[in-house]
Amino acid sequence: MKHVPQRTCICCRQKFPKSQLIRIVRCDGKFFIDKSQKSDGRGAYFCGSNECKIKLLKSRGLDRTFHQKVDDEVYKLLCEEITK
Ligand SMILES: [Zn+2]
């Protein structure tokens, strides 16, 4: 059986197969959605469920994960990515 790497959602703390998650990466102080899942840098995984989306926006979960203020723009980008 093939081993499926699992990652934890930063919101609900549940584990999911890596490929199902949205990866947010910080590189050179900039945040972006890592579609290839191959970029270097500090990454956070997000399951993209509606509940988590609301929670993430409300609690500004990314700020905590990356220990810095994350621009609203990044949250917006992330939401757009999820609703696709
Ligand atoms: Zn989640």
Side-chain angles (χ1 to χ4, degrees), residues 7-66:
R7 292 293 180 271
T8 308
C9 168
I10 54 167
C11 254
C12 59
R13 301 279 163 200
Q14 283 190 70
K15 286 205 163 110
F16 297 91
K18 204 176 153 189
S19 55
Q20 272 182 28
L21 296 170
I22 297 157
R23 187 170 184 242
I24 307 123
V25 175
R26 179 176 63 193
C27 196
D28 293 329
K30 286 200 190 255
F31 292 89
F32 59 95
I33 316 278
D34 176 26
K35 291 201 181 85
S36 68
Q37 304 221 351
K38 283 188 180 83
S39 306
D40 290 330
R42 175 96 162 80
Y45 291 88
F46 183 60
C47 74
S49 75
N50 229 0
E51 254 171 75
C52 280
K53 192 170 116 179
I54 293 161
K55 218 169 128 188
L56 188 81
L57 289 175
K58 255 176 111 177
S59 67
R60 300 196 64 93
L62 289 177
D63 294 28
R64 253 183 304 142
T65 303
F66 290 102

